[in-house]
Each structure stands twice: as structure tokens, then as C-alpha cells.
Amino acid sequence: MTEMAEGQGWRDIYFTARDGLRLHVRHYEAPGSLRRPALCLPGLTRNAADFHVLASRLADARGHRRPVYAVDYRGRGRSARDPDWRNYTLLVEALDILDFMTIAGLHSAAVVGTSRGGILAMIMAVLRPTTIGAVVLNDIGPVIDKEGLARIVGYVGRVPLPATWEEATALVRGMGARDFTDLDDVEWQAVARQWYHDENGRPAPSYDANLSKAISLGGGGIPDLWPQFMALSPFPLLAIRGENSDILSRTTLEQMCTRHPRIESLTVRAQGHAPLLRDEATIRIIFDFLMRSDDQHVAEQALAAY
């Protein structure tokens, strides 16, 4: 089922997961485009709204537009909360994504994965490599720094719900100002609107607090993912790191650049985990990278249409 509200810029797609849960994806349309679709996968507690600026640009670039799909995992964003929090796992989320791609007829997609979304991209490359054509890993790699992971585990489900949008902006700024040093008031307000839903003019939760139980059950640790990372070797890869990141270290990024045969890298100045993908310079680099990765895909699409 699809819905499109007046002026919002995307179409809401709702589909049913294999266990009956109702899940949500934003679709930024690009009618007639032969370019590979982009599939945007957010972080652990994040949602499709994180990609709005990037997705709008990719879908509306003159002469080079591409369709963009931004996913809400189960329990996040506009997707339904799972009555069994034990399903908030990487494997279940990967299967949800792959099922959606089958329903939507997507293959050889440009996967843009922020944090957990990048881990899911690696898992997809292992489970079903034909779904991937190019990859952008946003502040994630095969080794996750324990300090940053502990910080994330510590706040999931424990951040208070602000009563007003002014309080929400102050809260988000207080949590992120140390690592995101160049954001102005307008940008912090925009980030707050991504963190929380708007219900009757007030902030509302954007993810299921029971997600904290699933994280605790896993013990907070993730093993090194070098085999999964190397499954991305056949695909062009752009690895993005926040200059102040406590999740992806400079050493790990250097090792990624040594081991992957088709990698490009970008460090986003004055940002931490994870870069917001909202600034013009970063968007331009992603845009150009995806354009270069499109050549074979466009040729295949044109041949199929002939």
C-alpha cells in the first residue's frame, strides 16, 4: 500500500513482513530514471527521516535523478512496534529489507548504510549479493570501537521525552555538541525533528524503548566483521568517517582502504558518529560516487529496455 501526503516530497510505502508486522519505507520517486535505485538504511534507533535531505537531492538532481527508498526498521519510525522485542536483531532486520526489495523489484541497489545500516549492508552482501550494486558506509566498519558502542548502549531507551520542541532541540544539542562542533541553531532544530516524531505539535518517541532489551540481551558486543566486510569487495564502496567518531577509528578506516580493492574514503570535518549527510560537500561527494557507479547499471537497463 502506498500513500503520499500533499507536499511532503515522498510516497509512504507500507508492506507486511513475513511474520505479519506492518513496516514502512519512504519512496522518493524518479519516474523514467535508468539509474540504480538508492536504498538508505539508518542507525540503531534512527529512522528514514535521517536521509530526507540526501534523498531529496538524489531523486531531484537535474538529468541524473534516481529513485530512493529509505527504510524504517521494525520498531522504528513509522513501522509497527514488534510485540516480541527479541525480534530486534540484525538477521530479522536484514530479512525484512530483503523481503521489501523482492516486493519492490529492487536489485543492484546503491545501499547507503549509516552505522547499523552499514552492518546490514555487509550482511546483505553475504546473504544475497545480487541486491547490491554499490555501497556507502557511513561511519561504520568491520571493527566497532568499544567506547562508542558503550555510549550508544547506555542511552538506548533511557533518553527522556522532552515536553516541547525547544526542549528537544536543547537535549539533542547537549548530547551532540561535543562531537558536532559546527552546527547552528537551525541545524540542531532539524536534527531534533529527526530524533522525535511530531504528534499534535509535541515531540513523540520515534523508536520502541524495548529495543534496549534486545541490545542488553546481546551483551553490547559485536565481533569483528572482516569476512562480512570483504563480501563487499565486488562493489564500489565509499567509506565515510566523522572526524570526531568514537565508532569508526582512523586505524580501522586505513585498514579498510588497504583491504578493499574498489574503495574511496571521506572524513567529514567537525562531525562525530554518525555524519548527518546534510551538508552540501558530503552530498556532492556521495552524488558523484553514485554517478560513477552507475555506468554498468545504466547500460544494462538500456539494453533490457531495447
Side-chain angles (χ1 to χ4, degrees):
M1 179 181 69
T2 64
E3 303 170 0
M4 188 165 186
E6 186 67 28
Q8 72 178 6
W10 69 86
R11 186 176 300 278
D12 291 310
I13 298 176
Y14 292 92
F15 72 101
T16 302
R18 59 182 66 192
D19 60 359
L21 205 66
R22 189 172 188 252
L23 304 181
H24 171 258
V25 177
R26 286 188 181 189
H27 179 201
Y28 296 77
E29 297 177 298
S33 174
L34 295 179
R35 300 199 172 276
R36 70 170 83 248
L39 181 74
C40 297
L41 306 177
L44 173 66
T45 63
R46 308 300 313 125
N47 59 77
D50 284 357
F51 297 102
H52 177 66
V53 175
L54 174 65
S56 298
R57 286 289 305 278
L58 293 178
D60 197 40
R62 295 180 183 177
H64 305 296
R65 57 195 322 220
R66 73 181 68 243
V68 182
Y69 299 83
V71 175
D72 280 337
Y73 310 134
R74 57 179 59 215
R76 285 81 137 190
R78 299 299 178 186
S79 288
R81 276 37 176 171
D82 197 312
D84 184 356
W85 55 264
R86 294 171 184 82
N87 289 328
Y88 294 141
T89 67
L90 286 164
L91 180 57
V92 171
E93 290 161 14
L95 293 176
D96 288 341
I97 293 164
L98 293 173
D99 286 349
F100 169 72
M101 296 184 76
T102 299
I103 292 168
L106 303 181
H107 62 90
S108 192
V111 181
V112 182
T114 293
S115 192
R116 188 177 182 90
I119 297 174
L120 286 164
M122 298 182 214
I123 293 172
M124 290 165 59
V126 173
L127 295 179
R128 198 179 301 170
T130 56
T131 60
I132 297 176
V135 180
V136 178
L137 294 182
N138 184 24
D139 212 59
I140 194 68
V143 180
I144 300 173
D145 277 16
K146 291 181 174 57
E147 179 182 345
L149 184 60
R151 174 183 59 81
I152 292 172
V153 170
Y155 76 67
V156 174
R158 298 177 176 88
V159 178
L161 180 64
T164 67
W165 283 110
E166 290 76 15
E167 289 184 13
T169 300
L171 176 64
V172 170
R173 182 191 288 114
M175 292 180 65
R178 184 189 69 174
D179 295 328
F180 293 81
T181 56
D182 279 0
L183 300 190
D184 59 23
D185 290 344
V186 172
E187 290 170 316
W188 282 120
Q189 291 169 14
V191 173
R193 294 278 178 171
Q194 293 174 190
W195 273 41
Y196 296 98
H197 287 324
D198 187 318
E199 290 187 3
N200 301 317
R202 293 186 177 184
S206 61
Y207 69 90
D208 186 351
N210 283 327
L211 186 60
S212 63
K213 297 179 182 179
I215 301 304
S216 298
L217 184 66
I222 296 178
D224 288 359
L225 301 171
W226 283 112
Q228 292 81 2
F229 173 76
M230 294 310 298
L232 299 177
S233 296
F235 314 112
L237 170 62
L238 173 62
I240 299 175
R241 178 181 182 269
E243 181 183 35
N244 303 322
S245 175
D246 60 358
I247 289 291
L248 177 61
S249 70
R250 286 189 294 270
T251 298
T252 297
L253 180 60
E254 290 169 359
Q255 292 174 348
M256 291 163 63
C257 290
T258 298
R259 299 191 190 193
H260 192 287
R262 304 177 66 185
I263 191 171
E264 303 175 30
S265 68
L266 165 68
T267 296
V268 181
R269 190 186 67 81
Q271 295 198 20
H273 182 78
L276 302 175
L277 310 185
R278 295 174 57 89
D279 63 283
E280 179 60 33
T282 301
I283 289 174
R284 171 51 62 178
I285 288 172
I286 295 173
F287 177 89
D288 290 344
F289 167 77
L290 295 182
M291 285 286 291
R292 291 193 298 275
S293 80
D294 274 343
D295 292 344
Q296 181 177 355
H297 183 74
V298 171
E300 291 173 351
Q301 292 292 95
L303 182 62
Y306 177 70

